[in-house]
Amino acid sequence: MRRGELSGPKVGALTGAAIADPTREGDLLAGAAPEPLARVRDRGVKARADAAGADPAATIRAIHAGRRFSPWTDAEGASCDQGRDTADRGARLLAHLGPMATEGQRDWHRRQE
């Protein structure tokens, strides 16, 4: 990046993968400069997935440590949210939200008729 060979978005796409598996840092950087950003992101995602498979417990701990939930109201006044959590906590949240989501979908379909 300092030499101007990698853009900030490419470095960002590879940083998490290099942290997850420092032994692959050289492989991740090799050839990244001329590749399209989408391909660099795909390589980073695959490397993180490979690292997660090597130590699933560490992956769950990392996800738990980085969990977040951000609610906001958009310009139209709609309730919005975005988050990230472990799969088990996500499943519990969806179990609570599922009936509300189904009701909302039914209401939407009724309005379309």
Side-chain angles (χ1 to χ4, degrees):
M1 189 169 161
R2 286 187 192 129
R3 293 189 305 250
E5 295 174 16
L6 287 178
S7 65
K10 285 183 180 181
V11 170
L14 297 175
T15 301
I19 290 170
D21 185 356
T23 65
R24 293 186 62 180
E25 182 177 341
D27 293 337
L28 290 165
L29 291 171
E35 286 185 340
L37 177 57
R39 185 170 295 146
V40 172
R41 283 185 178 141
D42 289 345
R43 288 175 53 204
V45 167
K46 183 178 180 335
R48 283 193 302 278
D50 291 347
D55 189 353
T59 299
I60 291 170
R61 286 192 302 273
I63 292 169
H64 187 268
R67 67 192 188 277
R68 62 188 182 278
F69 182 77
S70 302
W72 71 94
T73 303
D74 71 11
E76 294 177 279
S79 175
C80 304
D81 54 71
Q82 182 178 30
R84 178 175 162 85
D85 209 329
T86 57
D88 63 320
R89 288 173 49 100
R92 288 193 315 237
L93 176 65
L94 289 176
H96 289 289
L97 293 177
M100 290 176 60
T102 301
E103 179 183 329
Q105 288 173 338
R106 271 190 243 132
D107 290 346
W108 184 85
H109 285 293
R110 279 189 210 116
R111 288 191 305 271
Q112 301 308 307
E113 295 174 350

